[in-house]
Amino acid sequence: MRQKVAIRSDASARIGYGHFVRSLSLARMLGDSFDCSFWSLEPSDWQRRLAEDICPLHPLKESEGFDGFLKGLDGDEIVVLDNYYFSEEHQLKIKEKGCKLVCIDDLHDKHFLADLVLAPCSDSPGKWSLEPGCGIAAGPRWALIGPEFTEVAPEGTRSGAFISFGGSDPLALTLKCARKFRQLYPDEEIRAVVGVGFPAPEELAAVGGISIRSNVSPAEMAALMRSSRIAVCSASGTCYEALACGCEVYAGHYVDNQQDFYGLLTRRGLIHPLGDLRSVEPDFSTPSPASRIAFGGLAKRFRSLFRGLSLEAVPYQALSSGQSREVWEERNRPEIRCRMSNPEPFSFESHCSFIEGLASHPDRMYYAFYDGGKLVGTYNFIDIKPGLGAEGGLFVVPSAQGKGYGAAMAAIMEARISRLGVRELRASVLSDNPASLRFHESLGYRITRSDGRYHYLTLAL
């Protein structure tokens, strides 16, 4: 039976549709491996159409409050909350129900009781207040964008600009940027996407040479981006979508929750920075961005991360004597030791002494992973340098190999080590272990050097 995932995100012309769209993208990425359902307050016909081929959409009434959502849960789901007004009290109710909890957040303005926080628009995880066992998946590796934007498309001729500032755009920034672009490029087409509540539709149409769309699907949005040379947008999920589609992106900010993401995009050289769009005129003459992002493998990464939530991770120091012995027996198998840096047998007593010594080594973390009470593997970090890097080591019990446990453990441990601001993970793989090398490369690791015995790999977070 597949693990159930219940996603709650609301949308309207007042609060915008960005949260709903990105959460629906998450449902789509998880859909092949999880039983997803979506819950939203009084969804529009457009929202219903977007969701109908992805997962069931359960409408909620304003009069039901949060209890309407709680009543729809059995208590064994992974629950995803995505909107700023879900408070600690809402989180507590989900946890008391018995569910695992994932929060998608950009603002870091509250304490999180969740098991996992998704913060794709920030690379500063230290800003979040988290419970001790909570991981945080931050930065571009966890961009919430659908497969329409990441699939490889044939190269074609790009021209003109794609402009969109979300479904509400109360400041009519689409109009401001369209007028400026038209002054600089009088002959190039402008493709604008606005919401039905856009405040200046007639003025926008008067710009000339502009096609205006509203209530577009993700596939339509991706097609518009792929045909455009330039994309102009706010520092929001639209940025990731445009970057994935290969656009040259001009982006600015106009609300507080966009400033972290704007800082990430500018530090990494991914966009033409437009600054605070409330007070400056957009400048379309700045040099091209210096960097690009590869968005391949997102869906697989999210499926591994969510599977990792269903595993029990136990620190070595918290293992029972029987559990410690089982870990020792599995790690001490001859066919396993031959793949270790030290292939010599080791006694159970030395294993126990090693565990006792971990208390005096804060730069090390060792965990055993269980699925339904059955040991499936271990994962460790050594040489942890907060704010810098760490080296990871993965072991999957032979009877559990080939079932996705390795990727699940790696994903959830990446989220845990990110709490310390670790920017880079390292791994050492024996040169005669091609299976391990392929596995690490599938996670995004790249070889930095080899010395005949080992391949040394790194993964930028």
Side-chain angles (χ1 to χ4, degrees):
M1 184 175 179
R2 298 198 302 176
Q3 171 70 54
K4 293 181 289 185
V5 177
I7 303 175
R8 170 71 193 275
S9 184
D10 303 325
S12 69
R14 180 179 60 83
I15 65 174
Y17 294 87
H19 295 273
F20 179 88
V21 171
R22 71 180 181 182
S23 292
L24 200 58
S25 294
L26 175 63
R28 187 163 187 181
M29 287 190 280
L30 297 176
D32 290 343
S33 302
F34 294 83
D35 182 9
C36 294
S37 60
F38 208 104
W39 303 71
S40 194
L41 188 64
E42 299 178 355
S44 66
D45 290 340
W46 177 72
Q47 289 173 262
R48 293 173 187 269
R49 288 196 300 272
L50 283 187
E52 62 185 359
D53 294 327
I54 299 175
C55 66
L57 175 59
H58 302 280
L60 296 167
K61 296 180 180 179
E62 187 82 50
S63 59
E64 294 177 307
F66 196 69
D67 288 341
F69 175 55
L70 289 173
K71 289 177 182 177
L73 301 175
D74 295 323
D76 57 353
E77 296 92 346
I78 298 173
V79 174
V80 180
L81 297 181
D82 184 10
N83 268 124
Y84 301 128
Y85 45 74
F86 292 128
S87 65
E88 289 181 49
E89 182 181 355
H90 294 116
Q91 296 179 54
L92 183 59
K93 288 181 178 180
I94 295 293
K95 297 295 291 180
E96 288 176 341
K97 189 85 175 183
C99 300
K100 293 284 187 177
L101 176 60
V102 177
C103 292
I104 306 176
D105 184 70
D106 305 313
L107 278 183
H108 47 76
D109 62 343
K110 61 178 72 71
H111 182 69
F112 286 91
L113 308 174
D115 300 281
L116 175 70
V117 170
L118 295 179
C121 295
S122 176
D123 57 0
S124 302
K127 293 182 177 180
W128 273 260
S129 174
L130 308 172
E131 284 290 288
C134 179
I136 180 165
R141 276 177 58 77
W142 305 104
L144 291 164
I145 54 178
E148 300 89 352
F149 302 94
T150 59
E151 64 189 14
V152 177
E155 284 297 322
T157 302
R158 294 175 178 267
S159 64
F162 167 90
I163 303 177
S164 179
F165 285 89
S168 52
D169 190 11
L171 304 180
L173 296 173
T174 304
L175 174 62
K176 181 178 183 178
C177 291
R179 283 173 170 169
K180 185 67 174 182
F181 185 83
R182 175 57 66 235
Q183 291 174 8
L184 295 173
Y185 305 102
D187 300 322
E188 292 205 48
E189 182 182 359
I190 299 174
R191 304 168 185 90
V193 175
V194 299
V196 292
F198 178 68
E202 294 180 1
E203 293 90 336
L204 185 61
V207 169
I210 187 169
S211 59
I212 304 172
R213 306 283 296 277
S214 63
N215 287 347
V216 299
S217 68
E220 292 169 322
M221 183 83 90
L224 291 170
M225 289 177 174
R226 291 188 192 282
S227 63
S228 302
R229 177 174 60 88
I230 284 173
V232 187
C233 55
S234 61
S236 63
T238 306
C239 260
Y240 276 150
E241 294 169 348
L243 288 168
C245 286
C247 295
E248 194 169 321
V249 178
Y250 291 77
H253 60 91
Y254 65 93
V255 290
D256 291 345
N257 67 299
Q258 295 171 352
Q259 291 185 19
D260 268 3
F261 191 27
Y262 182 76
L264 180 158
L265 294 165
T266 53
R267 282 194 306 275
R268 298 193 180 203
L270 296 169
I271 61 167
H272 294 265
L274 297 179
D276 188 337
L277 291 166
R278 293 168 293 190
S279 58
V280 299
E281 285 294 315
D283 181 0
F284 292 109
S285 62
T286 54
S288 297
S291 304
R292 299 301 297 265
I293 298 179
F295 289 99
L298 270 176
K300 181 179 178 181
R301 199 173 302 138
F302 272 107
R303 289 194 293 268
S304 295
L305 181 65
F306 272 65
R307 188 177 184 190
L309 284 169
S310 299
L311 302 178
E312 182 185 9
V314 182
Y316 269 24
Q317 300 95 310
L319 294 172
S320 68
S321 178
Q323 288 174 322
S324 291
R325 179 170 288 276
E326 184 180 20
V327 169
W328 168 73
E329 289 174 347
E330 292 291 349
R331 294 297 303 263
N332 208 29
R333 291 172 179 264
E335 67 271 27
I336 300 303
R337 283 190 280 103
C338 70
R339 298 297 187 186
M340 298 169 62
S341 58
N342 181 5
E344 296 302 316
F346 55 98
S347 68
F348 181 59
E349 289 73 22
S350 65
H351 176 67
C352 292
S353 295
F354 171 79
I355 293 175
E356 290 176 5
L358 288 175
S360 60
H361 289 280
D363 63 338
R364 300 176 185 178
M365 294 167 56
Y366 281 75
Y367 284 84
F369 278 83
Y370 296 85
D371 187 1
K374 181 179 180 180
L375 177 69
V376 295
T378 66
Y379 197 102
N380 67 271
F381 288 116
I382 62 172
D383 194 25
I384 300 170
K385 293 182 172 62
L388 296 173
E391 181 171 347
L394 171 70
F395 162 68
V396 180
V397 171
S399 61
Q401 291 177 3
K403 300 178 181 179
Y405 288 116
M409 289 189 289
I412 205 68
M413 289 303 288
E414 178 185 324
R416 290 201 176 193
I417 202 69
S418 289
R419 289 182 57 131
L420 302 179
V422 167
R423 303 281 182 171
E424 180 182 83
L425 295 182
R426 303 183 304 278
S428 303
V429 176
L430 287 166
S431 56
D432 63 352
N433 192 352
S436 180
L437 179 60
R438 288 193 299 271
F439 170 77
H440 281 85
E441 289 180 329
S442 74
L443 298 181
Y445 282 85
R446 294 294 177 261
I447 296 175
T448 56
R449 64 185 180 92
S450 302
D451 63 7
R453 187 184 183 197
Y454 286 103
H455 296 300
Y456 300 94
L457 303 94
T458 61
L459 172 66
L461 302 184

